[in-house]
Structure formats: C-alpha cells, structure tokens
Amino acid sequence: MERRWAAGFMALLYTHSAPEARTCSAAGDFQVYPGRGSHKVYHHDREVDNMTTQTRNEVLLEGIALEAPALSHENHGTRFYRFPLQVPRLSGTPDTLPVLVPEALLTAVRLEDPLRVRGQLRSFNNRSGVGNRLVLTVYAQAMEPGSGEPCNRILLSGALCKPPIFRRTPLGRSICDLMLAVSRRYGRADYLPVIAWGQLAVQAARLQVGDTLSLEGRVQSRTYRKVLEDGTAQERVAYEVSAMHLLEPEAAE
C-alpha cells in the first residue's frame, strides 16, 4: 500500500518537471576525487595495472524514499542503514535503487518529501550463495531536501576489467555489456556493470581489457527471472549503469 501511494505521489510531483537531462544539476555539483596512484586490480584472474589516471565515481539522485531506513550493519562503531529510493524515468517506469547511508545522515530522510542524494556507486561480493553474486548499492555521502525535479546522473572513470560483450536484440539494436573497475581507497575497487546501446555500444565494443573508460550515464534497475537448479523461476532485480555518453578522460575531470 505504501509503495503504491509513493508511486502515485511521485507521478503527481514530477508531472510538470523539465526533462531529466535538464533537471540534473551541472557538473559543478560533483566533486573530483584524485586518483590514488598506480596499483593493480585483479578480476577473473586478469590483472589491470594501468589505473594511474584520475578515477571518478559520483552519483547524483533525486527521488522519494519508499520505506523508512532499516539497520543494515555496524562498522567501526558507525551504524549504516538501507532504504529504497524511487527515481522516475522519462518513460514513466521508475528505477528503485538501494541506498546505504550512515546514521548521521538519517535526519534528511522523510518519506513524503523529495530527497537529493550525492554519493558513489559501490559493489560488494555476495558470499551467501543466494541472489546475485555482485551486489550494487548507492553509498550516500550527503543528503538534503530535494527541489522537486527528478535526477539520475552518474559520472564514472576507471579501467575496463573484462572483454566487452557485444550483441544485438531480436529487433537488431546493438548492445554492449562492460565491467568497469573504479579504484577506491586502500587498494580496493568497485566493479560496476555498464550497458551501452546503439552507436555507443559499437564504440565500446572496440575497447580492450585495461583501457581507461570515462562515461556519463544513469543508474537503473531492472527485473528479470532466474531459473534455479530445481527448475523453479525466481524474480530478481539487477542494477547497472546505462551509459549515455562516452567521455574523454579529460572531460570527466
């Protein structure tokens, strides 16, 4: 019931908003985090060691929190909470994205009000054996009341850590799946799935493992059915970055 109410509220709130590309704030709202120097990243037994360029991982979202934040875990004395943030698309189908937030920022979350979230897209390995092996979440570094204009924008710069997978839909549209490694502090990295369409897919398919890739896009959710070993089907949700523009490394800074 609460989800249906929130969806209806968002539809009313954003009915007269400007197009998504125009409502997201300019690049000045993002902050550049310098690269951490050269280090090696391993993925599927392949080594990516050219991550000496400036890395970037910045997300800017505005939407409605569908549920009150629930305790996720505690690390080094800090409690972290999770909640789903619903962000509308121009198509009318919203993306529902998981947000992880430290306890100190919880006062900004109000279910009935638009919420603007700045942070990074993080990846974690799921070792439980249940669900997706790679878990993605938006880590909130700052939150504030929203302006009433939907926004879903991400800027990434990192290294390609798997060969691109190029294919075509039954209708002939080009698609390319990519896995981008974006370095983090302490020698860690986030492994982020990226999907490119059309001419962008053709360009991305020419990349090789270790190439630097900078892009602007949006974080999206999609539902799919997974057939399990016992033959039953399970509905799951996948999260990925939909690339809108491939950028020169200098342009992403």
Side-chain angles (χ1 to χ4, degrees), residues 142-164:
M143 297 197 303
E144 61 187 7
S147 63
E149 297 179 339
C151 182
N152 185 339
R153 188 179 183 213
I154 184 169
L155 297 177
L156 292 175
S157 185
L160 197 68
C161 59
K162 290 178 63 178

Side-chain angles (χ1 to χ4, degrees), residues 59-61 81-83 85 97-101 117-124 135-141 152 154 219 239:
V59 179
L60 181 61
L61 303 173
Y81 292 75
R82 289 183 180 274
F83 68 90
L85 184 75
L97 307 174
V99 177
L100 181 68
V101 55
V117 178
R118 292 179 175 85
Q120 296 181 331
L121 186 61
R122 298 281 182 88
S123 69
F124 304 91
V135 178
L136 298 187
T137 187
V138 176
Y139 176 65
Q141 296 172 314
N152 185 339
I154 184 169
V219 186
Y239 305 99

